[in-house]
Amino acid sequence: MKLDRIDIKILHVLQQNGRMTNVELSEVVNLSPSPCLMRVKKLQSEGYIEGYSAQINVGKLGQTLTVFTEVTLKNHRQIDFTRFLAAVEKIDQLIECHVVSGGYDYLLKFVTAGIGEYQEIMERLVELDVGIDKYFSFVVLKSPVVKGRLPLTNLFRP
């Protein structure tokens, strides 16, 4: 499926407000409701829209700790990467895992109840012997800019 500017605009608007009605969406993207709904359904069936979710204000629930962790593996064979990923995928507190270029292999993002919980997770990972050579932890003190959406209309201009 090749996306046009209207498809991109639909995706852009829906990531800002996924609860918007089809009629409201159609007005914003300058389509009548029926073709707009057909486009949304096509974007869903083609996998461009994976789902809808609520953005939770975690700060209202209680105190949390966010930690970015750089991980370097001892070996760099496919089996080493597979074993490491299999272990970290099971950790609920792991929010993101990125393979990166540079001086380390992975950048992980954890959100935990506190430093003790984070330390337990990392000790468990090291004890599991999943190939970690070294890791460095960076505790987030403050997050002045967090955007939950991508600038789709700037990134993709059909």
Side-chain angles (χ1 to χ4, degrees):
M1 174 180 177
K2 184 159 172 51
L3 301 183
D4 63 15
R5 66 175 182 75
I6 295 172
D7 295 321
I8 298 295
K9 190 164 185 182
I10 288 171
L11 293 172
H12 179 75
V13 171
L14 283 178
Q15 75 173 348
Q16 292 174 345
N17 182 1
R19 296 185 69 186
M20 178 179 282
T21 67
N22 182 59
V23 172
E24 292 169 330
L25 178 61
S26 68
E27 289 172 3
V28 173
V29 299
N30 296 318
L31 282 178
S32 57
S34 182
C36 183
L37 184 59
M38 287 174 43
R39 282 179 180 252
V40 170
K41 288 189 180 298
K42 183 79 170 166
L43 289 166
Q44 290 171 338
S45 69
E46 293 289 326
Y48 290 97
I49 299 173
E50 293 182 337
Y52 299 87
S53 62
Q55 294 176 353
I56 308 300
N57 182 344
V58 179
K60 290 256 188 203
L61 297 173
Q63 198 168 17
T64 61
L65 179 77
T66 300
V67 182
F68 287 94
T69 307
E70 297 174 352
V71 175
T72 303
L73 299 183
K74 294 175 189 170
N75 298 302
H76 294 92
R77 299 167 301 183
Q78 189 58 46
I79 193 166
D80 300 308
F81 292 117
T82 302
R83 184 178 54 195
F84 175 77
L85 286 175
V88 297
E89 284 175 344
K90 297 175 185 170
I91 302 170
D92 288 337
Q93 297 87 339
L94 178 70
I95 305 305
E96 297 176 13
C97 175
H98 305 274
V99 176
V100 295
S101 63
Y104 52 97
D105 300 314
Y106 291 96
L107 179 63
L108 309 178
K109 179 181 180 182
F110 293 94
V111 177
T112 66
I115 196 71
E117 182 180 34
Y118 171 74
Q119 185 176 351
E120 287 173 18
I121 291 167
M122 293 311 297
E123 287 173 356
R124 215 171 326 132
L125 266 179
V126 170
E127 287 171 7
L128 283 174
D129 196 25
V130 293
I132 295 175
D133 181 34
K134 60 185 174 185
Y135 70 91
F136 297 96
S137 305
F138 301 89
V139 174
V140 173
L141 302 177
K142 189 176 186 180
S143 298
V145 177
V146 176
K147 295 182 181 180
R149 59 190 178 279
L150 298 172
L152 296 178
T153 54
N154 294 329
L155 292 172
F156 306 100
R157 298 175 194 238

